[in-house]
Amino acid sequence: MTTSRATSAITGAAATTTPTVVFLAANGISGLRTAAIATTATAVLVLVWRLQARRQVRHAVVGALLATACAAAAAWTGQARGFFLVPMLMPAATTAACLLSLAADRPLAGLVTNKIVGGPPGWRSHRALHRFYAVSTVVIALLSFLSLAAQVALYHWSDVAMLGLLHILMGASWTAITALSTLLARRKIIRERATAEADNR
């Protein structure tokens, strides 16, 4: 990873986690209403900053909308833990998507990653690649389910601080998992191409 990409990843992670940190701090100091307002204002400021810097504009818009939706959910439920209802939908949707893709024999990891890493269009008929993407999809589904289970338990216990910490950690973890999955897929493609070339000689 180049220095510019590393810097972009760090600033992106900081921008993503800042609204959550602000919510937790403001809620602890002044209560839910102040926390919801402060989080929304922070999300808007972060969005403006990233738009001016022209860094990951699409991610910036999505991040601002997500933070605003979280603050609105907290205000609507009247509970600080409501802030984490929207983020809980993500691992739930990911788990469901992975399981459905496996049932349809179209592993989600292959559908998403194969084109990015320059894999062959017919990867589903390639036994080694299909198996690799299927295993990757199972791992992603398992991690998503465990994340969801942990969040549901903490939500039930109304442990807002731990929910916030888990939310921040999971954001960084998913970034790392995505990068690792892409790297492994690219290496798998390279090995399979080398093997095919060797067999054709």
Side-chain angles (χ1 to χ4, degrees):
M1 181 179 289
T2 63
T3 302
S4 60
R5 288 185 179 180
T7 302
S8 178
I10 293 172
T11 55
T16 302
T17 58
T18 297
T20 301
V21 174
V22 169
F23 177 83
L24 293 173
N27 181 66
I29 296 172
S30 302
L32 181 58
R33 182 176 181 180
T34 301
I37 295 173
T39 301
T40 302
T42 300
V44 172
L45 290 174
V46 169
L47 175 59
V48 171
W49 166 61
R50 296 181 75 179
L51 288 177
Q52 288 181 339
R54 295 182 180 179
R55 291 178 177 174
Q56 301 175 323
V57 175
R58 185 186 303 174
H59 293 165
V61 173
V62 172
L65 291 175
L66 178 59
T68 303
C70 290
W76 180 69
T77 60
Q79 298 178 324
R81 65 178 183 172
F83 183 87
F84 302 97
L85 281 174
V86 175
M88 286 168 61
L89 296 175
M90 295 179 184
T94 301
T95 302
C98 286
L99 295 178
L100 288 173
S101 71
L102 289 170
D105 198 31
R106 296 174 180 271
L108 185 63
L111 294 174
V112 174
T113 310
N114 188 70
K115 188 174 183 179
I116 296 174
V117 298
W123 61 268
R124 290 182 60 228
S125 60
H126 193 293
R127 183 176 300 178
L129 284 178
H130 187 279
R131 183 169 56 250
F132 172 80
Y133 287 133
V135 172
S136 298
T137 301
V138 170
V139 172
I140 293 171
L142 179 60
L143 292 175
S144 298
F145 177 76
L146 292 176
S147 171
L148 175 62
Q151 290 181 66
V152 169
L154 291 172
Y155 184 88
H156 178 71
W157 297 329
S158 297
D159 195 333
V160 178
M162 287 304 297
L163 273 170
L165 178 60
L166 181 61
H167 178 61
I168 292 171
L169 291 177
M170 287 310 300
S173 297
W174 281 117
T175 300
I177 290 170
T178 301
L180 179 61
S181 298
T182 303
L183 175 63
L184 292 176
R186 183 173 286 113
R187 292 181 63 180
K188 182 68 174 177
I189 294 296
I190 293 173
R191 284 199 300 268
E192 291 300 322
R193 284 177 177 167
T195 300
E197 290 175 359
D199 291 341
N200 291 330
R201 289 175 183 173

Coordinates of all heavy atoms in Angstrom, one line a residue, residues 106-157:
R106 N -23.8 -19.4 -6.2 CA -23.1 -18.2 -6.7 C -22.5 -17.5 -5.5 O -23.0 -16.4 -5.1 CB -24.1 -17.3 -7.5 CG -24.7 -17.9 -8.7 CD -25.8 -17.0 -9.3 NE -26.4 -17.6 -10.5 CZ -25.9 -17.4 -11.7 NH1 -24.8 -16.7 -11.9 NH2 -26.5 -18.0 -12.8
P107 N -21.4 -18.0 -5.0 CA -20.8 -17.4 -3.8 C -20.6 -15.9 -3.9 O -20.1 -15.4 -4.9 CB -19.5 -18.1 -3.7 CG -19.7 -19.4 -4.4 CD -20.6 -19.1 -5.5
L108 N -21.1 -15.2 -2.9 CA -21.0 -13.7 -2.9 C -19.6 -13.2 -3.1 O -19.4 -12.2 -3.8 CB -21.6 -13.2 -1.6 CG -21.8 -11.7 -1.5 CD1 -22.7 -11.2 -2.6 CD2 -22.2 -11.3 -0.1
A109 N -18.6 -13.9 -2.5 CA -17.2 -13.4 -2.6 C -16.8 -13.4 -4.1 O -16.1 -12.5 -4.5 CB -16.3 -14.3 -1.8
G110 N -17.2 -14.4 -4.8 CA -16.9 -14.5 -6.2 C -17.6 -13.4 -7.0 O -17.0 -12.7 -7.9
L111 N -18.9 -13.2 -6.8 CA -19.6 -12.2 -7.5 C -19.1 -10.8 -7.3 O -19.1 -9.9 -8.2 CB -21.1 -12.2 -7.0 CG -21.9 -13.5 -7.3 CD1 -23.3 -13.4 -6.7 CD2 -22.0 -13.7 -8.8
V112 N -18.6 -10.5 -6.1 CA -18.1 -9.2 -5.8 C -16.6 -9.0 -6.1 O -16.2 -8.0 -6.7 CB -18.3 -8.9 -4.3 CG1 -17.6 -7.5 -3.9 CG2 -19.7 -8.8 -3.9
T113 N -15.8 -10.0 -5.8 CA -14.3 -9.9 -5.9 C -13.7 -10.3 -7.2 O -12.7 -9.7 -7.6 CB -13.7 -10.7 -4.7 OG1 -14.3 -10.4 -3.5 CG2 -12.2 -10.4 -4.7
N114 N -14.3 -11.3 -7.9 CA -13.6 -11.8 -9.0 C -13.3 -10.8 -10.1 O -12.3 -10.8 -10.7 CB -14.5 -12.9 -9.6 CG -13.8 -13.7 -10.7 OD1 -12.9 -14.4 -10.5 ND2 -14.3 -13.5 -12.0
K115 N -14.3 -9.9 -10.4 CA -14.1 -8.9 -11.4 C -13.1 -7.9 -11.0 O -12.3 -7.4 -11.8 CB -15.4 -8.2 -11.7 CG -15.3 -7.3 -12.9 CD -16.7 -6.7 -13.3 CE -16.6 -5.8 -14.5 NZ -18.0 -5.3 -14.9
I116 N -13.0 -7.6 -9.7 CA -12.1 -6.6 -9.2 C -10.6 -7.1 -9.3 O -9.8 -6.3 -9.7 CB -12.4 -6.3 -7.7 CG1 -13.7 -5.7 -7.5 CG2 -11.3 -5.4 -7.1 CD1 -14.1 -5.5 -6.0
V117 N -10.4 -8.4 -9.1 CA -9.1 -8.9 -9.2 C -8.7 -9.4 -10.6 O -7.6 -10.0 -10.8 CB -8.9 -10.0 -8.1 CG1 -9.1 -9.5 -6.7 CG2 -9.8 -11.2 -8.4
G118 N -9.6 -9.2 -11.5 CA -9.3 -9.6 -12.9 C -9.4 -11.1 -13.1 O -8.7 -11.7 -13.9
G119 N -10.3 -11.8 -12.4 CA -10.5 -13.2 -12.5 C -11.3 -13.6 -13.8 O -11.9 -12.7 -14.5
P120 N -11.3 -14.8 -14.2 CA -11.9 -15.2 -15.4 C -13.5 -15.1 -15.3 O -14.0 -15.4 -14.2 CB -11.5 -16.7 -15.6 CG -11.2 -17.1 -14.2 CD -10.6 -16.0 -13.5
P121 N -14.1 -14.7 -16.4 CA -15.6 -14.6 -16.3 C -16.3 -15.9 -16.0 O -17.3 -15.9 -15.3 CB -16.0 -14.2 -17.8 CG -14.7 -13.5 -18.3 CD -13.6 -14.3 -17.7
G122 N -15.7 -17.0 -16.4 CA -16.3 -18.3 -16.1 C -15.8 -19.0 -14.8 O -15.6 -20.2 -14.8
W123 N -15.6 -18.2 -13.8 CA -15.0 -18.7 -12.5 C -15.9 -19.8 -11.9 O -15.4 -20.7 -11.2 CB -14.7 -17.6 -11.6 CG -16.0 -16.8 -11.1 CD1 -16.4 -15.7 -11.7 CD2 -16.8 -17.1 -10.0 NE1 -17.6 -15.2 -11.1 CE2 -17.8 -16.1 -10.0 CE3 -16.9 -18.1 -9.1 CZ2 -18.9 -16.1 -9.1 CZ3 -17.9 -18.1 -8.1 CH2 -18.9 -17.1 -8.2
R124 N -17.2 -19.7 -12.1 CA -18.1 -20.7 -11.5 C -17.9 -22.1 -12.0 O -18.1 -23.1 -11.3 CB -19.5 -20.3 -11.7 CG -20.0 -19.0 -11.0 CD -21.4 -18.7 -11.2 NE -22.3 -19.8 -10.7 CZ -23.3 -20.3 -11.5 NH1 -23.5 -19.8 -12.7 NH2 -24.0 -21.2 -11.0
S125 N -17.3 -22.2 -13.2 CA -17.1 -23.6 -13.8 C -15.6 -24.0 -13.5 O -15.2 -25.1 -13.8 CB -17.3 -23.6 -15.3 OG -16.5 -22.6 -15.9
H126 N -14.9 -23.1 -12.8 CA -13.5 -23.4 -12.5 C -13.5 -23.9 -11.0 O -13.7 -23.2 -10.1 CB -12.6 -22.2 -12.6 CG -11.2 -22.4 -12.5 ND1 -10.5 -22.9 -11.4 CD2 -10.2 -22.3 -13.4 CE1 -9.2 -23.0 -11.6 NE2 -9.0 -22.7 -12.8
R127 N -13.3 -25.2 -10.9 CA -13.5 -25.9 -9.6 C -12.7 -25.2 -8.4 O -13.2 -24.9 -7.4 CB -13.1 -27.4 -9.7 CG -13.3 -28.1 -8.4 CD -13.0 -29.6 -8.5 NE -13.9 -30.2 -9.6 CZ -13.8 -31.5 -10.0 NH1 -12.9 -32.3 -9.4 NH2 -14.6 -31.9 -10.9
A128 N -11.4 -25.0 -8.7 CA -10.6 -24.4 -7.6 C -11.0 -23.0 -7.2 O -11.1 -22.7 -6.0 CB -9.1 -24.4 -8.0
L129 N -11.3 -22.2 -8.2 CA -11.8 -20.8 -7.9 C -13.1 -20.8 -7.2 O -13.4 -20.1 -6.3 CB -11.8 -20.0 -9.2 CG -10.5 -19.5 -9.7 CD1 -10.7 -18.7 -11.0 CD2 -9.8 -18.6 -8.7
H130 N -14.0 -21.6 -7.7 CA -15.4 -21.7 -7.1 C -15.3 -22.1 -5.6 O -16.0 -21.6 -4.8 CB -16.2 -22.7 -7.9 CG -17.7 -22.7 -7.5 ND1 -18.1 -23.5 -6.4 CD2 -18.8 -22.1 -8.0 CE1 -19.4 -23.3 -6.2 NE2 -19.8 -22.5 -7.2
R131 N -14.4 -23.1 -5.4 CA -14.3 -23.6 -4.0 C -13.7 -22.5 -3.1 O -14.1 -22.3 -2.0 CB -13.4 -24.8 -4.0 CG -13.2 -25.4 -2.6 CD -12.5 -26.8 -2.6 NE -11.2 -26.8 -3.3 CZ -11.0 -27.3 -4.5 NH1 -12.0 -28.0 -5.1 NH2 -9.8 -27.3 -5.0
F132 N -12.7 -21.8 -3.7 CA -12.0 -20.7 -2.9 C -13.1 -19.6 -2.6 O -13.1 -19.1 -1.4 CB -10.9 -20.1 -3.8 CG -10.3 -18.8 -3.2 CD1 -9.4 -18.9 -2.1 CD2 -10.7 -17.5 -3.6 CE1 -8.9 -17.7 -1.6 CE2 -10.2 -16.4 -3.1 CZ -9.3 -16.5 -2.1
Y133 N -13.9 -19.2 -3.5 CA -14.9 -18.2 -3.3 C -16.0 -18.6 -2.4 O -16.5 -17.9 -1.6 CB -15.5 -17.7 -4.6 CG -14.5 -16.8 -5.4 CD1 -14.4 -17.1 -6.8 CD2 -13.8 -15.8 -4.9 CE1 -13.5 -16.3 -7.6 CE2 -13.0 -15.0 -5.6 CZ -12.8 -15.2 -7.0 OH -12.0 -14.4 -7.7
A134 N -16.3 -19.9 -2.4 CA -17.3 -20.5 -1.5 C -16.8 -20.5 -0.1 O -17.6 -20.1 0.8 CB -17.7 -21.9 -2.0
V135 N -15.6 -20.9 0.1 CA -15.0 -20.9 1.5 C -14.9 -19.4 2.0 O -15.3 -19.2 3.2 CB -13.6 -21.5 1.5 CG1 -12.9 -21.3 2.8 CG2 -13.7 -23.0 1.2
S136 N -14.5 -18.5 1.1 CA -14.4 -17.1 1.5 C -15.8 -16.6 1.9 O -16.0 -15.8 2.9 CB -13.9 -16.2 0.4 OG -12.6 -16.6 0.0
T137 N -16.8 -17.0 1.2 CA -18.2 -16.5 1.5 C -18.7 -17.1 2.8 O -19.3 -16.4 3.6 CB -19.2 -17.0 0.4 OG1 -18.7 -16.4 -0.8 CG2 -20.6 -16.5 0.7
V138 N -18.3 -18.4 3.1 CA -18.7 -19.0 4.4 C -18.0 -18.2 5.5 O -18.7 -18.0 6.6 CB -18.3 -20.5 4.4 CG1 -18.4 -21.1 5.8 CG2 -19.1 -21.3 3.4
V139 N -16.8 -17.9 5.4 CA -16.0 -17.2 6.4 C -16.7 -15.8 6.7 O -16.9 -15.4 7.8 CB -14.6 -17.0 6.1 CG1 -13.8 -16.1 7.0 CG2 -13.9 -18.3 6.0
I140 N -17.0 -15.1 5.6 CA -17.7 -13.8 5.8 C -19.0 -13.9 6.4 O -19.4 -13.1 7.3 CB -17.8 -13.1 4.4 CG1 -16.4 -12.8 3.8 CG2 -18.7 -11.9 4.5 CD1 -16.5 -12.3 2.4
A141 N -19.8 -15.0 6.1 CA -21.1 -15.2 6.7 C -20.9 -15.5 8.2 O -21.7 -14.9 9.0 CB -21.8 -16.4 6.0
L142 N -19.9 -16.3 8.6 CA -19.7 -16.6 10.0 C -19.3 -15.3 10.8 O -19.9 -15.1 11.8 CB -18.6 -17.6 10.1 CG -18.2 -18.1 11.5 CD1 -19.4 -18.7 12.2 CD2 -17.1 -19.1 11.4
L143 N -18.4 -14.5 10.2 CA -18.0 -13.3 10.9 C -19.2 -12.3 11.0 O -19.3 -11.7 12.1 CB -16.8 -12.7 10.1 CG -15.5 -13.4 10.1 CD1 -14.5 -12.7 9.2 CD2 -14.9 -13.5 11.5
S144 N -20.0 -12.2 10.0 CA -21.1 -11.3 10.1 C -22.1 -11.8 11.1 O -22.7 -11.0 11.9 CB -21.8 -11.3 8.7 OG -21.0 -10.8 7.7
F145 N -22.4 -13.1 11.2 CA -23.3 -13.6 12.2 C -22.8 -13.4 13.6 O -23.6 -13.0 14.5 CB -23.5 -15.1 11.9 CG -24.4 -15.8 12.9 CD1 -25.8 -15.6 12.9 CD2 -23.9 -16.5 14.0 CE1 -26.6 -16.1 13.8 CE2 -24.7 -17.1 14.9 CZ -26.1 -16.9 14.8
L146 N -21.5 -13.6 13.8 CA -20.9 -13.4 15.1 C -21.0 -12.0 15.5 O -21.3 -11.6 16.7 CB -19.5 -13.9 15.2 CG -19.3 -15.4 15.0 CD1 -17.8 -15.7 15.0 CD2 -19.9 -16.2 16.2
S147 N -20.8 -11.1 14.6 CA -20.9 -9.7 14.8 C -22.3 -9.3 15.2 O -22.6 -8.5 16.2 CB -20.4 -8.9 13.6 OG -20.7 -7.5 13.8
L148 N -23.3 -9.8 14.5 CA -24.7 -9.6 14.7 C -25.1 -10.1 16.1 O -25.8 -9.4 16.9 CB -25.5 -10.2 13.6 CG -27.1 -10.1 13.8 CD1 -27.5 -8.6 13.8 CD2 -27.8 -10.9 12.8
A149 N -24.7 -11.3 16.4 CA -25.0 -11.9 17.7 C -24.5 -11.1 18.9 O -25.1 -10.9 19.9 CB -24.5 -13.3 17.8
A150 N -23.2 -10.6 18.7 CA -22.6 -9.8 19.8 C -23.4 -8.5 19.9 O -23.6 -8.0 21.1 CB -21.2 -9.5 19.4
Q151 N -23.7 -7.8 18.8 CA -24.5 -6.6 18.9 C -25.9 -6.7 19.5 O -26.3 -5.9 20.3 CB -24.6 -6.0 17.5 CG -23.2 -5.5 16.9 CD -23.4 -4.8 15.6 OE1 -24.0 -3.8 15.4 NE2 -22.8 -5.5 14.6
V152 N -26.5 -7.8 19.1 CA -27.9 -8.1 19.7 C -27.8 -8.3 21.2 O -28.6 -7.8 22.0 CB -28.5 -9.3 19.0 CG1 -29.8 -9.8 19.8 CG2 -28.8 -9.0 17.6
A153 N -26.8 -9.0 21.6 CA -26.6 -9.3 23.1 C -26.3 -8.0 23.8 O -26.9 -7.7 24.9 CB -25.5 -10.3 23.3
L154 N -25.4 -7.1 23.3 CA -25.1 -5.9 23.9 C -26.3 -4.9 23.9 O -26.5 -4.1 24.8 CB -23.9 -5.2 23.2 CG -22.6 -6.0 23.4 CD1 -21.5 -5.4 22.5 CD2 -22.1 -5.9 24.9
Y155 N -27.1 -5.0 22.8 CA -28.3 -4.1 22.7 C -29.3 -4.6 23.8 O -29.9 -3.7 24.5 CB -28.9 -4.3 21.3 CG -30.1 -3.4 21.1 CD1 -29.9 -2.1 20.7 CD2 -31.4 -3.8 21.4 CE1 -31.0 -1.2 20.5 CE2 -32.5 -3.0 21.2 CZ -32.3 -1.7 20.7 OH -33.4 -0.9 20.5
H156 N -29.4 -5.9 24.0 CA -30.4 -6.4 25.0 C -29.9 -6.0 26.4 O -30.8 -5.7 27.2 CB -30.4 -7.9 24.9 CG -31.3 -8.5 25.9 ND1 -32.7 -8.4 25.9 CD2 -31.0 -9.3 27.0 CE1 -33.2 -9.1 26.9 NE2 -32.2 -9.6 27.6
W157 N -28.6 -5.9 26.6 CA -28.1 -5.5 27.9 C -28.0 -4.0 28.1 O -27.6 -3.5 29.1 CB -26.7 -6.1 28.1 CG -26.7 -7.6 28.2 CD1 -27.8 -8.4 28.6 CD2 -25.7 -8.5 27.7 NE1 -27.4 -9.8 28.5 CE2 -26.2 -9.8 27.9 CE3 -24.4 -8.3 27.2 CZ2 -25.4 -11.0 27.6 CZ3 -23.7 -9.5 26.9 CH2 -24.1 -10.8 27.1

